[in-house]
Amino acid sequence: EVQLLESGGGLVQPGGSLRLSCAASGFTFNIYAVTWVRQAQGKGLEWVSAISASGGSAYYADSVKGRFTISRDNARNTLYLQMNSVRVDDTAVYYCAKARHQSGYDYWGQGTLVTVSS
Amino acid sequence: DIQMTQSPSSLSASVGDRVTITCRASQSISKFLNWYQQKPGKAPKLLIYAASSLQSGVPSRFSGSGSATDFTLTISSLQPEDFATYYCQQSSDTPYTFGQGTKLEIK
């Protein structure tokens, strides 16, 4: 059974840092791209970042470029999102998801809540 | 960035109705269009990928069509469990943007 389990969310002050993790199991992690998608309370889905299967290519939304860094450890089957210089508008539930080769995201985690507030 | 525009933003319908949601891309995305269903407090669920391919396990009352810039999601006969919010997403070019969502409510 495919599982994605996010962790690392919590309360952080504006300007602070946080690292999210997503532990994957039930599939061959190192042959699939994976992604982070976020959703502010009562709002729609926002694509944040994605990383290729090897980790050699990373992509970002303009809203997080230069502040967030996506990475993966294929030996540990884990995806990461390093969030620096966070802002109040980064407050959201962050989901990790597995890509099905440029055809959508077929498995999602349950999400982890990040709250940016002083 | 490619902008995705869904219509309508909300829709009221009854069990058994046929419902269509549209999604328009700001430039051609070929068939790189996916549809998701999301229920409150839950992660999104992939319904349709590559514009018209049904994801495994999704009921056949869901169907997708379109190409280039105009796409539709159709539910042939609404069931009680289909009341949710639906999102389109393009996977042609990063950032892989989502539409703003269509909330499907019970009439």
Side-chain angles (χ1 to χ4, degrees):
Chain A
E1 180 191 6
V2 172
Q3 289 193 329
L4 296 163
L5 184 62
E6 302 96 337
S7 61
L11 177 64
V12 59
Q13 292 188 334
S17 297
L18 204 62
R19 188 175 84 156
L20 306 183
S21 299
C22 172
S25 60
F27 65 102
T28 306
F29 184 69
N30 63 9
I31 64 171
Y32 290 98
V34 278
T35 194
W36 290 99
V37 173
R38 69 184 181 184
Q39 185 171 38
Q41 176 70 30
K43 302 297 184 182
L45 301 171
E46 181 186 10
W47 183 91
V48 173
S49 182
I51 189 166
S52 63
S54 67
S57 297
Y59 310 89
Y60 299 94
D62 288 345
S63 58
V64 306
K65 199 173 295 182
R67 301 187 300 121
F68 291 9
T69 301
I70 192 171
S71 62
R72 63 190 296 163
D73 183 339
N74 284 345
R76 296 177 182 269
N77 290 348
T78 303
L79 171 69
Y80 302 100
L81 186 69
Q82 178 66 43
M83 306 169 62
N84 295 334
S85 303
V86 296
R87 309 187 302 218
V88 171
D89 62 358
D90 293 322
T91 296
V93 174
Y94 285 72
Y95 295 101
C96 64
K98 167 188 167 291
R100 61 177 321 287
H101 302 303
Q102 207 178 353
S103 295
Y105 302 123
D106 53 355
Y107 291 95
W108 296 65
Q110 84 292 345
T112 188
L113 176 63
V114 172
T115 303
V116 183
S117 175
S118 55
Chain B
D1 296 358
I2 299 172
Q3 308 303 316
M4 306 301 294
T5 304
Q6 287 181 233
S7 61
S9 296
S10 63
L11 176 60
S12 293
S14 301
V15 172
D17 283 354
R18 180 183 179 90
V19 166
T20 297
I21 298 169
T22 66
C23 180
R24 176 162 289 176
S26 60
Q27 65 188 69
S28 177
I29 57 171
S30 185
K31 285 182 171 284
F32 292 105
L33 191 283
N34 314 300
W35 289 98
Y36 300 86
Q37 176 193 68
Q38 188 181 33
K39 296 182 179 180
K42 300 294 187 182
K45 174 186 175 182
L46 180 64
L47 300 175
I48 301 286
Y49 63 92
S52 59
S53 295
L54 193 67
Q55 173 67 1
S56 176
V58 174
S60 59
R61 62 181 179 272
F62 291 92
S63 64
S65 65
S67 64
T69 60
D70 294 301
F71 302 87
T72 60
L73 172 71
T74 299
I75 310 172
S76 60
S77 179
L78 273 174
Q79 298 301 301
E81 60 268 29
D82 299 337
F83 292 94
T85 300
Y86 293 84
Y87 294 92
C88 63
Q89 181 213 17
Q90 64 84 14
S91 50
S92 173
D93 194 18
T94 58
Y96 290 156
T97 40
F98 289 89
Q100 81 279 14
T102 295
K103 187 172 184 179
L104 180 52
E105 298 175 306
I106 301 173
K107 185 183 286 184

